[in-house]
Amino acid sequence: MGCPMKEEITYFEKPGKANTDEALRLAKQTAQARGIKSIAVASHTGYTAERAMEVFEGTESLLIIGGSSRDRFSPETLKRLEAAGHKVLFTSETSKELPDQPNTTLRRICEGMRVVVRITTAMVDNGLLKPGERVVAVA
């Protein structure tokens, strides 16, 4: 029988960019405490990817960025991510969507939860994460 685990949950008063750095800091803290190296980060325009590169700089973490469309993503950020050895996947370039019922259910719980599930599933389907690999996902 394993030891009981105690976790803390952080809720943000309002959604938005103002929470990005703190969410990434918490993800880094969790990853380091659990020895997790793969960090899946949803980033629509590249802003969150840029912030993640800064927050995780100097760690052994591999950022795997999930964006919705290459057209919406900053080309400069894409170049910096790839030059640093991080991975990027655009879900518009993959053919697999979540089925309607799980997609709707996750959206009703929390849009961020739906995005986390969608990007990590796409990352596994496209070989950027191994099935069963431990990952911290941020959306």
Side-chain angles (χ1 to χ4, degrees), residues 120-138:
T120 54
T121 301
M123 289 171 181
V124 170
D125 288 347
N126 287 277
L128 300 179
L129 288 170
K130 296 175 189 150
E133 181 177 350
R134 295 178 70 201
V135 60
V136 172
V138 181

Side-chain angles (χ1 to χ4, degrees), residues 20-28 41 48 51-52 55-56 138:
T20 301
D21 285 354
E22 180 65 6
L24 290 167
R25 186 193 68 74
L26 291 166
K28 177 182 173 183
V41 178
T48 304
R51 301 305 309 135
V55 169
F56 284 90
V138 181

Side-chain angles (χ1 to χ4, degrees), residues 40-96:
V41 178
S43 185
H44 189 64
T45 63
Y47 173 80
T48 304
E50 286 280 355
R51 301 305 309 135
M53 281 192 289
E54 187 171 318
V55 169
F56 284 90
E57 187 175 17
T59 70
E60 295 179 22
S61 297
L62 170 66
L63 298 177
I64 308 161
I65 306 299
S68 59
S69 173
R70 189 176 298 272
D71 297 339
R72 296 179 179 158
F73 207 84
S74 161
E76 296 79 20
T77 299
L78 182 57
K79 288 177 189 171
R80 282 195 290 281
L81 284 162
E82 290 172 343
H86 300 299
K87 300 175 183 179
V88 181
L89 174 72
F90 294 102
T91 55
S92 63
E93 297 172 2
T94 65
S95 59
K96 192 170 186 179

Side-chain angles (χ1 to χ4, degrees), residues 2 12 23 30 38-39 59 68 88 112 114 127 134:
F12 295 101
T30 299
S38 295
I39 314 298
T59 70
S68 59
V88 181
R114 184 193 70 82
R134 295 178 70 201

